[in-house]
């Protein structure tokens, strides 16, 4: 709806309420702070549809005023959906959302680990630079400081003297690209670590990867990249923070390390480099975890179950 630039304008809230009323909705499911605040204020005027608010991140660095708004509006929400247990804890502890309102519904990745024919051959410009004997360490993450790419580069530099067949591929784009290019050069790893840029066709990279790594140093509600790695049946390595331990069960389908600790990352990667049977076993368990916890069918089923629960509860109350 055009013109919704501020939820401090009562006229715009009434206009949105009119639009929602015209739709005769049973459920309104909101995403994002601004949109959800606007929608829930408008829905207070309707007192009709069930209201669900969806929180996708632990990065909730709100001002005190915004925290109060969120806390109050959560009282008017039937449910607050969080994409991980970690996000749920932040919603409860930082935003004051009551635990009884919170439901955890994990995000999914692409459908069942498959890609379209259009994308199936993607990434060949980068993948063609890899050799069959290369041990490929894949990271899929935006090139921002909090993703901790430098931790991975430092670990790879330490591993190279003992394992000169390792190659790194980083898929993503962002403001740290120039820094990472310079850092790769200063470490003497030009050609050893490839920056693939932003890609829609991540599955070819996952198929070529021996391990998927996410070395985040802060703010990680739930990593879709790691879920994609699990869907592709790859062993995973990640920082022990946020929602990452909900995708990586340490010692089962991957390994966790302390955020920012490149030495721990070296030890985790070395275990996987030197033990192909461990890689195979962890990859299989990643796939099982994806099917049971993160698949599209599971996510949709939980959302539908929540809708039914809310609507049945309302019907019973009449």
């Amino acid at each position: 709806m055009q013109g919704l630039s501020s939820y401090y304008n009562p006229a715009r809230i009434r206009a949105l309420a009119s639009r929602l009323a015209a739709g005769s909705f049973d459920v309104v499911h909101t995403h994002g702070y601004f949109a959800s605040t606007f929608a829930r204020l408008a829905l207070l005027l309707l007192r009709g549809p069930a209201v669900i608010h969806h929180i996708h991140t632990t990065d909730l660095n709100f001002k005190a005023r915004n925290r109060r708004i969120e806390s109050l509006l959560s009282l008017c929400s039937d449910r607050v959906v969080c994409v991980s247990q970690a996000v749920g804890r932040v919603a409860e502890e930082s935003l004051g959302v009551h635990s009884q309102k919170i439901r955890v519904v994990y995000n999914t990745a692409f459908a069942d680990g498959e890609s379209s024919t259009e994308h199936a051959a993607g990434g060949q410009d980068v993948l063609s630079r890899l050799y069959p004997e290369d041990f490929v360490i894949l990271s899929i993450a935006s090139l921002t400081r909090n993703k901790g790419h430098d931790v991975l580069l430092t670990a790879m530099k330490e591993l190279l003297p003992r394992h000169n067949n390792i190659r790194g591929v980083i898929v993503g784009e962002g403001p740290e690209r120039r820094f990472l290019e310079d850092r790769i050069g200063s470490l003497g790893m030009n050609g050893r670590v490839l920056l693939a840029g932003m890609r829609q066709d991540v599955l070819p990279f996952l198929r070529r990867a021996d391990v998927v790594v996410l070395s985040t140093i802060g703010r990680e509600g739930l990593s879709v990249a790691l879920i994609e790695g699990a869907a592709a049946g790859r062993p995973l390595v990640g920082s022990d923070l946020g929602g990452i331990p909900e995708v990586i069960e340490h010692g089962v389908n991957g390994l966790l390390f302390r955020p920012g600790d490149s030495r721990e990352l070296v030890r985790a990667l070395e275990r996987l480099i030197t033990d192909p049977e461990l890689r195979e076993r962890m990859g299989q368990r990643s796939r099982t975890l994806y099917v049971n916890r993160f698949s599209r069918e599971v996510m949709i089923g939980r959302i539908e179950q929540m809708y039914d629960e809310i609507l049945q509860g309302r019907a019973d109350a009449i």
Side-chain angles (χ1 to χ4, degrees), residues 10 13-15 17-18 40-48:
I13 294 172
R14 286 195 297 271
S18 296
R40 286 180 291 172
L41 287 171
L43 289 164
L44 286 174
L45 302 178
L46 297 184
R47 300 184 181 277

Side-chain angles (χ1 to χ4, degrees), residues 236-256:
L236 310 175
V237 176
S239 307
D240 189 5
L241 61 76
I244 292 176
E246 296 171 56
V247 187
I248 301 176
E249 295 184 357
H250 184 69
V252 178
N253 70 316
L255 299 168
L256 296 167

Side-chain angles (χ1 to χ4, degrees), residues 92 97 111 180 200 209 269:
E92 183 177 0
V97 180
L180 291 172
Q200 297 296 322
L269 288 172

Side-chain angles (χ1 to χ4, degrees), residues 108-115 290 296:
T108 187
F110 35 71
D112 200 35
E114 297 298 328
S115 73
Y290 170 79
R296 183 170 60 174

Side-chain angles (χ1 to χ4, degrees), residues 211-231:
V211 60
V212 178
V213 177
L214 187 65
S215 47
T216 305
I217 57 177
R219 304 196 319 271
E220 196 69 59
L222 185 70
S223 170
V224 173
L226 289 177
I227 295 173
E228 289 171 337

Side-chain angles (χ1 to χ4, degrees), residues 63-276:
K63 297 177 181 178
R65 176 189 63 196
N66 301 105
R67 290 170 189 256
R68 287 195 296 271
I69 291 172
E70 182 60 42
S71 180
L72 289 171
L73 287 177
S74 71
L75 297 174
C76 310
S77 305
D78 291 271
R79 298 291 185 274
V80 176
V81 179
C82 298
V83 299
S84 67
Q85 300 286 349
V87 172
R89 288 191 294 272
V90 171
E92 183 177 0
E93 296 167 7
S94 179
L95 300 181
V97 180
H98 198 285
S99 61
Q100 292 183 343
K101 298 268 188 178
I102 294 172
R103 296 292 184 274
V104 173
V105 178
Y106 291 113
N107 286 338
T108 187
F110 35 71
D112 200 35
E114 297 298 328
S115 73
S116 67
T117 303
E118 176 186 356
H119 291 154
Q124 292 306 312
D125 55 323
V126 173
L127 297 176
S128 64
R129 298 166 63 184
L130 302 174
Y131 298 101
E133 64 272 18
D134 285 340
F135 183 95
V136 178
I137 299 170
L138 175 65
S139 178
I140 304 172
S142 58
L143 306 187
T144 53
R145 187 64 57 90
N146 73 293
K147 294 299 182 181
H149 293 297
D150 190 45
V151 179
L152 176 57
L153 296 179
T154 302
M156 286 190 62
K157 179 64 175 178
E158 185 172 335
L159 285 165
L160 270 171
R162 301 187 296 279
H163 308 285
N164 63 8
N165 66 324
I166 63 171
R167 299 285 291 278
V169 177
I170 298 175
V171 175
E173 196 54 81
E176 291 289 296
R177 185 181 183 93
R178 179 59 62 85
F179 166 79
L180 291 172
E181 289 173 339
D182 293 343
R183 181 67 171 148
I184 290 167
S186 68
L187 291 171
M189 294 198 297
N190 283 327
R192 180 68 62 177
V193 178
L194 307 177
L195 298 180
M198 183 65 70
R199 302 281 173 152
Q200 297 296 322
D201 52 344
V202 296
L203 189 55
F205 293 93
L206 288 164
R207 285 174 172 158
R208 183 61 185 85
D210 291 284
V211 60
V212 178
V213 177
L214 187 65
S215 47
T216 305
I217 57 177
R219 304 196 319 271
E220 196 69 59
L222 185 70
S223 170
V224 173
L226 289 177
I227 295 173
E228 289 171 337
R234 295 295 176 262
L236 310 175
V237 176
S239 307
D240 189 5
L241 61 76
I244 292 176
E246 296 171 56
V247 187
I248 301 176
E249 295 184 357
H250 184 69
V252 178
N253 70 316
L255 299 168
L256 296 167
F257 65 97
R258 285 181 296 180
D261 192 329
S262 62
R263 291 294 182 88
E264 279 199 8
L265 177 53
V266 166
R267 289 192 287 272
L269 288 172
E270 194 139 39
R271 282 186 63 186
L272 291 167
I273 292 169
T274 58
D275 193 339

Side-chain angles (χ1 to χ4, degrees), residues 17-30:
S18 296
R19 291 285 189 91
L20 292 171
S24 300
F25 300 110
D26 294 308
V27 177
V28 175
H29 193 146
T30 68

